[in-house]
Amino acid sequence: MEARLQKIISQAGIASRRAAEAMILEGRVQVDGVIVRELGVKYDPVQVEIKVDGKAIRSAENHVYYLLNKPKGYVSTTSDERGRRTVLDLLPEVKERIYPIGRLDMNTEGLLLLTNDGELMNGLLHPRYEVQKTYVARIAKGLSEEEITALREGVKLEDGLTAPARVRVLAEEPGRTRVEITIHEGRNRQVRRMFQVVGHEVLALKRTAFAGLTLEGVKRGEHRALADDEIKMLYDTAGRQRG
Ligand code: URA
């Protein structure tokens, strides 16, 4: 939720409202790396990184963490100008303002994390930490050895070569092959585009794992809160210390 910068700083326990105003005027406060000297500008502390004297502040918000098994037909945004159903419609009882950590296409199903912890979200989405994401893709025909090798070593997309991936064929039946692929990048429609480059259309796509978490025990359309040890593991993965 948006609030005035001085209010966010004082709620984080750094200083009184008055002292926070003085810090802003003195140029000691940065929002996403840019010094803000104006009083009264509003931000959502989940969406931006606020630093005082170069140190990131921790918001006083109560953080919540959910694992959702997203079905097809939902967009991974918090609102949609075209009125389509969003993943938030699947967690109606959650009162906090949460955001998905990354995105799944409308027609992709599977594991999606949602949180109001901006610090963890930024870490998990940062390319430096190479967070592993596993998908199962269904394609019509079998993959040749050359195609598997190309996917593993990297294929050329419009936005550059993909990083090495883990690829294994799970099942091959006439007209239906299931392939598991693990990547650590998060480009738009990446898995579908990778298969397209080697000549296969992805007919169905499901994310089965993210940063070591799996869909075990969570049926399609359902969600669960993360356990403490899972949150800690995500913090370690994202190179962050939990405060
Ligand atoms: N790759 C895709 O093509 N789609 C997704 O939703 C996620 C990864």
Side-chain angles (χ1 to χ4, degrees), residues 103-105 108 135 187 189-193 205:
R103 288 192 181 181
L104 290 178
D105 303 333
T108 299
Y135 298 85
R187 303 192 216 170
R189 300 178 68 81
Q190 180 164 343
V191 174
R192 291 178 197 272
R193 290 192 291 140
L205 187 62

Side-chain angles (χ1 to χ4, degrees), residues 54-229:
K55 269 191 73 183
I57 66 162
R58 220 176 283 287
S59 113
E61 247 182 300
N62 184 25
H63 288 146
V64 292
Y65 308 84
Y66 294 96
L67 184 158
L68 170 72
N69 185 348
K70 174 193 168 312
K72 289 200 291 190
Y74 288 80
V75 291
S76 303
T77 50
T78 51
S79 66
D80 185 62
E81 72 286 352
R82 287 158 59 188
R84 294 174 297 183
R85 294 179 296 184
T86 79
V87 287
L88 292 189
D89 294 334
L90 296 160
L91 303 97
E93 83 289 3
V94 176
K95 296 289 168 279
E96 289 82 3
R97 195 180 175 86
I98 50 174
Y99 299 84
I101 302 184
R103 288 192 181 181
L104 290 178
D105 303 333
M106 171 132 154
N107 281 326
T108 299
E109 58 178 322
L111 201 163
L112 187 65
L113 297 181
L114 297 107
T115 185
N116 57 355
D117 182 344
E119 170 83 1
L120 181 67
M121 175 149 48
N122 289 336
L124 289 173
L125 294 177
H126 197 292
R128 182 195 310 167
Y129 301 109
E130 301 195 349
V131 173
Q132 305 289 311
K133 299 137 195 149
T134 301
Y135 298 85
V136 174
R138 179 160 62 81
I139 54 180
K141 290 175 285 162
L143 278 177
S144 69
E145 278 308 316
E146 292 75 42
E147 289 161 355
I148 294 176
T149 303
L151 288 171
R152 280 187 181 143
E153 291 181 352
V155 293
K156 209 160 164 229
L157 304 180
E158 313 89 89
D159 47 2
L161 195 65
T162 59
R166 285 206 302 274
V167 179
R168 69 187 175 115
V169 175
L170 298 178
E172 203 170 328
E173 297 160 24
R176 188 188 166 94
T177 294
R178 287 170 64 238
V179 186
E180 185 182 80
I181 177 163
T182 301
I183 60 175
H184 62 73
E185 296 171 295
R187 303 192 216 170
N188 191 28
R189 300 178 68 81
Q190 180 164 343
V191 174
R192 291 178 197 272
R193 290 192 291 140
M194 287 173 75
F195 276 87
Q196 201 172 27
V197 166
V198 296
H200 294 267
E201 187 193 350
V202 171
L203 304 173
L205 187 62
K206 178 174 188 170
R207 181 152 69 191
T208 55
F210 180 95
L213 297 172
T214 71
L215 287 171
E216 197 187 325
V218 184
K219 297 200 185 87
R220 184 181 290 138
E222 293 187 346
H223 62 275
R224 67 170 177 86
L226 293 187
D228 236 36
D229 59 336

